[in-house]
Amino acid sequence: MIKAALKSLLGRKVRLLMSTFAIVLGVAFVAGSLIFSDTLSRSFTALFASTVGDVVVRPEGGTTADGAPSTVTLPGSLVEQLKDVPGAARVDGNVSAFGVFVVSKSGKVVSGFGPPAIGGNWSDAPAGHGLQGLTIVQGHEPHGADEVVLDERTAERAGYVVGDKVDIIPSTATAIPADGQPVASTRIEPELVGIAGFPSGGSLNGATYAAFDTPTAQALFLGGEDAYTDIWVTAEDGVSQERLRDDVEPRLADGVEAVTGDDAADESASDLVDAISFLTTFLLIFAGISLVVGAFLIVNTFSILVAQRSRELALLRALGASKRQVMWSVQLEAFVLGVLGATIGLGLGVLLAMGIRALFANFGLDLSGQPLIFAPRTFIASYAVGILVTMAAAWLPARRTGRIAPVQAMRDDIALPESSLRRRFVWGLALTVLGLVVLMLGLFVDLPHSGWQVGGGVLGILLGVAAMSPVISKPFLALARTAYARVFGSVGNLAGQNSLRNPRRTTATASALMIGLALACTMAIVGDSAKASVDKSVSENFVGDFVVSNVIGSGFSPVIGDQMTEVDGVDQVVRERFGSAERDGDNQFVAAVDPGTSTRSSSTSTTGAAWPRAGCCSSAPGPTTTTSRPATSSAWTCRPASAPTPSAASSRTTRSSRPRSCSASTTSWRPASRRATTC
């Protein structure tokens, strides 16, 4: 029976090859998503492992809810106090800040829509477990306020070489010239004296890094305060991270904590990977859709196969083959088809992962330094999905082969036994109702993992409608036959009668198309509805003329707001700042307006972004943020209705009726971190 099944399969090579495409696309999405997610996870795990010390001393609340350094710092004297800790080889203080943008020679910011623009002080301290972190690969360390070091990838993308003047826009309002006196400025131009990289390979995954000497970094990012954002304690040989952490902890004041480098790296990597795990979920959803559609195609394929081979299968029964042997011969063909489809899909998944990596590189997440990761789970999942889905889809046609009697081999025509349409309709109706109930529970009841309920409900409805389709499609088929007969004459009438003669076959062929169109229409409706909702909210509530923000929505220097007030035609500048806060374990968003720059205030909400309908003009001073160093800022700028559009600001502002971070009385979106609006 095995030989007979394989010979039958090989005798129809074209059908075999075409049938594999029903499963290839689904397996490709599964394999591609797993390969990319494993590559992403490995890349960030390796990156964070090489950017933490053996023990990291940090203030509690030293980072914001979105992972950026907060304004809480450690006193510089703590470095000296920790140097005499037993087992400590060295202690190094670090200064870090986000929103330090490097501008390329072409005048464009070197960044993307996700990876941060990092600034800080240069340190040659080794990473945890003696790993080699960023190292000067060309030039030397920065010394003085007019020198800077860039990472390799940033220098390459910006077009800078050692000796060039680097255009940098800091997130704060002060710059340090050669005489050491801080001045208000929106940019600085230090000399590039060194390029840093990972000698053993790797990259910052699209982030940019500009390093200054410690006094300059403290002046730029900490307002000249003798402080650090965190401190690394390097262990002596033979001293474990846990033992060193236990020795460090008693030396720390309240509000300061010590964690091992392994824990700090795992925490950072897991938080970041979780934040971008939506991509894996998105691809797996498409994989599920492809597999559902593919399963219908496989059912149709094997139904046709069984019908064509009915005489052959009846003859095998007459020669002594059992029902089970005949059924499993069909399942063997499905197994071979699944293996072939999974193999091709796995190869296509590799190409898909490479394409996703290249696509993300265009948005700033550069993983070119990390080779693709092929974990065992990728192969197991790909072949399991390909084989199980194919064999499960082929089970119904294979099961029907057991109903073929041996005596049917002597008949001229063989009609395979069919199940009752009434019973099929009842089961389909029950499945549709059950799917509708599950869908409603997922949409309107607060349940854990409600997305699974929604997906399961949609799948149940589609399968139920497909099961009922031979019955509910008859009126439509009759109407189509009448229309075709009038348009195409006898040919149309014959086609219509043929479709009515076997509604099972007709609807089975159309089911895959039905599901594909249903899902495509759903996505189109949801997308257009969301767009219309956002457009309506913006048009009703945003009254500003311009919105000024940086390319990734993080903070920028408040000096930009000051410069906007000097542009001809500008009536008012309102600075805003957004941030994340944690309350009762939940992350919430906080907005603030500088009352010194607005005669009428905006409102602040800890439960979302609630803006007054008066836009940038209201009647009472609003709250401001409290910070221990120069805060990043943003502004709304208002101009009189009769004033001309400010041409001097047009190159740095965006005239838009739909700014990316503006809404009113809504909590369904996450605002950008900071912005400036021109009214």
Side-chain angles (χ1 to χ4, degrees):
M1 288 299 298
I2 294 176
K3 290 181 179 179
L6 293 178
K7 285 184 178 180
S8 175
L9 191 64
L10 294 175
R12 301 173 175 87
K13 298 182 180 66
V14 176
R15 185 181 62 194
L16 172 66
L17 181 62
M18 296 302 294
S19 300
T20 58
F21 288 105
I23 204 67
V24 163
L25 190 58
V27 174
F29 275 114
V30 171
S33 60
L34 293 179
I35 292 172
F36 182 76
S37 63
D38 289 339
T39 302
L40 195 66
S41 178
R42 177 72 61 84
S43 178
F44 280 112
T45 299
L47 173 61
F48 285 115
S50 61
T51 54
V52 294
D54 286 314
V55 172
V56 178
V57 179
R58 61 191 185 188
E60 295 180 359
T63 57
T64 62
D66 54 5
S70 71
T71 58
V72 183
T73 58
L74 298 172
S77 59
L78 185 58
V79 173
E80 295 298 327
Q81 296 174 15
L82 295 178
K83 286 185 177 179
D84 60 350
V85 171
R90 60 184 290 178
V91 181
D92 299 271
N94 301 307
V95 177
S96 299
F98 281 12
V100 183
F101 298 98
V102 178
V103 181
S104 69
K105 286 188 174 182
S106 61
K108 295 186 178 181
V109 172
V110 183
S111 187
F113 296 99
I118 307 171
N121 67 319
W122 175 258
S123 174
D124 60 355
H129 301 292
L131 295 176
Q132 192 173 24
L134 276 174
T135 304
I136 300 293
V137 295
Q138 185 179 353
H140 60 80
E141 300 178 1
H143 300 287
D146 59 346
E147 294 185 354
V148 69
V149 168
L150 300 179
D151 67 278
E152 284 183 299
R153 184 62 177 151
T154 300
E156 178 185 349
R157 291 164 64 188
Y160 292 122
V161 296
V162 173
D164 287 344
K165 288 291 185 179
V166 180
D167 191 0
I168 296 177
I169 302 176
S171 58
T172 51
T174 58
I176 310 299
D179 58 7
Q181 297 298 320
V183 295
S185 175
T186 58
R187 61 180 61 205
I188 57 177
E189 293 186 345
E191 179 184 352
L192 180 61
V193 297
I195 295 178
F198 295 96
S200 58
S203 69
L204 293 177
N205 292 351
T208 63
Y209 183 62
F212 306 85
D213 64 3
T214 298
T216 302
Q218 290 174 332
L220 282 173
F221 311 125
L222 303 182
E225 180 184 0
D226 182 20
Y228 299 100
T229 52
D230 63 66
I231 296 173
W232 287 8
V233 184
T234 303
E236 294 179 345
D237 293 339
V239 178
S240 67
Q241 291 186 353
E242 291 76 12
R243 175 184 167 186
L244 183 60
R245 177 201 58 198
D246 295 340
D247 290 337
V248 168
E249 282 181 336
R251 311 289 185 98
L252 305 179
D254 294 339
V256 182
E257 63 180 357
V259 295
T260 63
D262 291 342
D263 289 342
D266 291 342
E267 176 185 327
S268 299
S270 61
D271 289 345
L272 186 57
V273 172
D274 289 343
I276 56 180
S277 61
F278 72 92
L279 177 65
T280 302
T281 303
F282 182 77
L283 291 175
L284 289 178
I285 290 174
F286 271 93
I289 294 173
S290 300
L291 291 172
V292 170
V293 176
F296 273 88
L297 296 177
I298 292 171
V299 170
N300 293 339
T301 299
F302 276 89
S303 296
I304 296 172
L305 180 148
V306 170
Q308 290 177 340
R309 295 179 56 203
S310 55
R311 180 182 295 277
E312 175 188 338
L313 296 175
L315 182 60
L316 290 175
R317 290 294 315 281
L319 294 175
S322 65
K323 294 181 180 180
R324 185 175 180 180
Q325 285 178 313
V326 172
M327 184 181 70
W328 280 104
S329 68
V330 177
Q331 285 290 79
L332 177 61
E333 295 184 30
F335 174 80
V336 175
L337 185 67
V339 171
L340 181 60
T343 302
I344 299 175
L346 184 60
L348 190 61
V350 175
L351 298 178
L352 178 62
M354 295 173 64
I356 296 173
R357 183 172 66 175
L359 177 64
F360 269 67
N362 292 330
F363 292 100
L365 183 57
D366 186 5
L367 300 176
S368 58
Q370 173 65 50
L372 295 179
I373 301 300
F374 300 95
R377 70 166 186 164
T378 300
F379 295 93
I380 295 174
S382 298
Y383 281 101
V385 167
I387 294 172
L388 293 180
V389 170
T390 306
M391 294 187 68
W395 182 77
L396 287 176
R399 186 169 174 267
R400 292 169 57 193
T401 61
R403 302 176 186 175
I404 300 177
V407 71
Q408 288 181 290
M410 295 179 290
R411 295 180 181 176
D412 293 332
D413 58 334
I414 299 177
L416 292 177
E418 300 282 359
S419 60
S420 169
L421 283 180
R422 178 178 300 177
R423 186 192 311 167
R424 177 170 173 171
F425 179 82
V426 171
W427 279 107
L429 180 62
L431 185 58
T432 302
V433 173
L434 178 61
L436 185 62
V437 171
V438 174
L439 176 62
M440 293 299 104
L441 290 175
L443 290 176
F444 302 109
V445 180
D446 187 13
L447 297 174
H449 308 294
S450 59
W452 290 101
Q453 280 86 26
V454 172
V458 171
L459 178 61
I461 293 173
L462 291 176
L463 293 179
V465 172
M468 294 188 296
S469 57
V471 175
I472 62 178
S473 66
K474 285 185 177 181
F476 300 100
L477 293 176
L479 183 62
R481 184 194 68 81
T482 302
Y484 286 165
R486 291 183 178 180
V487 176
F488 301 104
S490 58
V491 174
N493 184 49
L494 181 62
Q497 290 181 351
N498 191 42
S499 64
L500 281 169
R501 183 174 60 87
N502 193 338
R504 285 187 178 89
R505 181 184 60 196
T506 303
T507 56
T509 304
S511 293
L513 181 61
M514 175 194 71
I515 293 177
L517 287 176
L519 294 174
C521 291
T522 300
M523 297 299 294
I525 293 172
V526 170
D528 288 342
S529 299
K531 180 178 180 296
S533 177
V534 172
D535 289 345
K536 180 180 178 182
S537 178
V538 170
S539 62
E540 290 180 351
N541 300 291
F542 179 65
V543 296
D545 296 301
F546 294 91
V547 176
V548 178
S549 64
N550 64 48
V551 293
I552 62 173
S554 63
F556 56 89
S557 172
V559 177
I560 295 177
D562 297 337
Q563 293 178 343
M564 290 164 60
T565 62
E566 301 173 0
V567 177
D568 293 337
V570 172
D571 177 56
Q572 186 181 20
V573 174
V574 180
R575 296 169 175 81
E576 293 181 313
R577 179 164 180 168
F578 302 133
S580 299
E582 186 173 308
R583 181 180 181 182
D584 298 330
D586 295 328
N587 288 334
Q588 297 178 339
F589 300 107
V590 180
V593 174
D594 183 359
T597 60
S598 175
T599 58
R600 285 171 273 178
S601 73
S602 174
S603 65
T604 298
S605 170
T606 58
T607 59
W611 307 109
R613 293 188 180 274
C616 61
C617 303
S618 54
S619 59
T624 58
T625 55
T626 301
T627 177
S628 61
R629 64 176 188 257
T632 53
S633 174
S634 61
W636 285 7
T637 305
C638 304
R639 61 180 173 85
S642 60
T645 301
S647 59
S650 62
S651 62
R652 294 193 174 274
T653 59
T654 302
R655 185 167 189 172
S656 173
S657 60
R658 187 177 45 168
R660 34 182 245 180
S661 62
C662 192
S663 183
S665 303
T666 177
T667 58
S668 61
W669 57 277
R670 177 174 180 174
S673 299
R674 293 95 182 162
R675 71 176 178 199
T677 305
T678 307
C679 303

